[in-house]
Structures are given as C-alpha cells and as structure tokens.
C-alpha cells in the first residue's frame, strides 16, 4: 500500500490463509474484517446475522468468516441494546456440498469445544445450521466461563 498498490481479494485471501495456517486466528479475523470493510467478501454477509454464505471461499478464509461471524453474534447477543428478535432463527451457513461442509463443521466442533452444535440440513445438504437456542446457550456458557476471553 505504501507504493500505491491496493490489495485485492486474492491478496487478502493469501494473508488470511497464512494467518489461519499459523494459528493466528485473531489476526486473520482482523484482515477479514478489513477486507469486508473495503467491499471484499460482500456476499458472505448478505443475510447476516441469520446467514453466512461461504460459497466460493477457500477453506481457511471460510473458517475465518465463520469465526468472525460468531464473534460478532457473541458481542451482539451480549449487548442489551441489540434487537434479539433477529436471532430467533437458526444461523444458517451456506457451504455447498464440497469440502467446506466438513471443514466448517469440524472447525465449529473443535474450536468451540462442543458448545456449539451444527447440523447438516436434512433437505439441503449444502447448509449447516446452528439453532438459536444453541447460540444463546453458548453465550451463557461463555459469560459464566473464565475462558470466554479465549473465544475466537
């Protein structure tokens, strides 16, 4: 950027992938948020907070998108000013039937230590769902847990 060259989606994807692969999840989230604020990965958030669309993303970028989305949801559900009516429905994650579905399902289970349970939609196998009741339990558990600061 110092030389006037602006990063594009490929540049951001490469940096996010490097951060993911190095286990630097918060740094990956910061780059993802920066890219999103500059108009990249826009379709990912079209239906947020009830939908996250990962179609077309690489596995590392998709993992970061889900972590970022869940971190935002966690903050919103903790905020008494947030309109909780919007979270009465399940969170639907569009993965397609590719490798993304199992990668995201596994990441949710391991990252959130089984506190968040996602299921494959019975009608559309390209969707993962996290019920709103599971999200609310997760928020309650992270509030009462001393490890809530370690949530990505």
């Amino acid at each position: 950027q110092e030389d006037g060259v602006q990063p594009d989606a490929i540049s951001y994807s490469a940096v996010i992938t490097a951060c993911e692969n190095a286990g630097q999840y918060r740094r990956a989230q910061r780059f993802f948020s920066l890219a999103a604020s500059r108009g990249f990965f826009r379709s990912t958030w079209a239906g947020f907070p009830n939908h996250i669309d990962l179609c077309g993303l690489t596995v590392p970028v998709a993992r970061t998108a889900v972590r970022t989305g869940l971190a935002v949801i966690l903050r919103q559900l903790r905020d008494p000013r947030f309109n909780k009516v919007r979270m009465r429905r399940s969170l639907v994650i569009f993965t397609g039937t590719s490798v993304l579905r199992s990668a995201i399902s596994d990441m949710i289970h391991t990252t959130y230590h089984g506190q968040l349970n996602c299921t494959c939609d019975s009608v559309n196998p390209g969707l993962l769902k996290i019920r709103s009741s599971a999200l609310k339990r997760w928020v309650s558990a992270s509030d009462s847990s001393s490890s809530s600061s370690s949530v990505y």
Side-chain angles (χ1 to χ4, degrees):
Q1 285 180 321
E2 292 173 8
D3 296 330
V5 177
Q6 295 300 314
D8 58 10
I10 294 170
S11 304
Y12 282 114
S13 293
V15 171
I16 292 165
T17 298
C19 293
E20 270 281 324
N21 291 340
Q24 297 180 4
Y25 305 121
R26 287 193 179 111
R27 179 174 274 176
Q29 285 177 252
R30 284 194 301 270
F31 279 109
F32 185 87
S33 295
L34 178 62
S37 74
R38 293 183 174 176
F40 299 103
F41 312 122
R42 189 175 307 238
S43 64
T44 303
W45 305 115
F48 193 74
N50 296 312
H51 303 99
I52 299 175
D53 185 351
L54 305 177
C55 295
L57 299 181
T58 63
V59 170
V61 174
R63 283 189 199 124
T64 299
V66 171
R67 282 190 188 98
T68 302
L70 288 170
V72 169
I73 289 170
L74 180 66
R75 282 192 304 273
Q76 288 177 338
L77 288 175
R78 285 178 170 166
D79 185 345
R81 298 168 301 175
F82 179 69
N83 181 1
K84 292 181 175 50
V85 171
R86 294 176 67 193
M87 284 310 305
R88 286 191 179 159
R89 298 187 309 201
S90 298
L91 171 63
V92 178
I93 303 170
F94 297 91
T95 62
T97 56
S98 68
V99 67
L100 274 180
R101 183 181 62 206
S102 60
I104 296 304
S105 178
D106 292 347
M107 183 274 299
I108 289 170
H109 180 74
T110 57
T111 300
Y112 301 98
H113 312 291
Q115 291 177 342
L116 279 178
N117 184 24
C118 67
T119 58
C120 186
D121 187 77
S122 60
V123 176
N124 184 343
L127 302 179
L128 294 174
K129 289 186 176 180
I130 302 175
R131 294 184 183 272
S132 61
S133 57
L135 288 167
K136 291 172 185 168
R137 278 193 308 274
W138 172 58
V139 171
S140 295
S142 66
D143 285 343
S144 63
S145 170
S146 62
S147 64
S148 64
S149 61
S150 67
V151 174
Y152 299 119

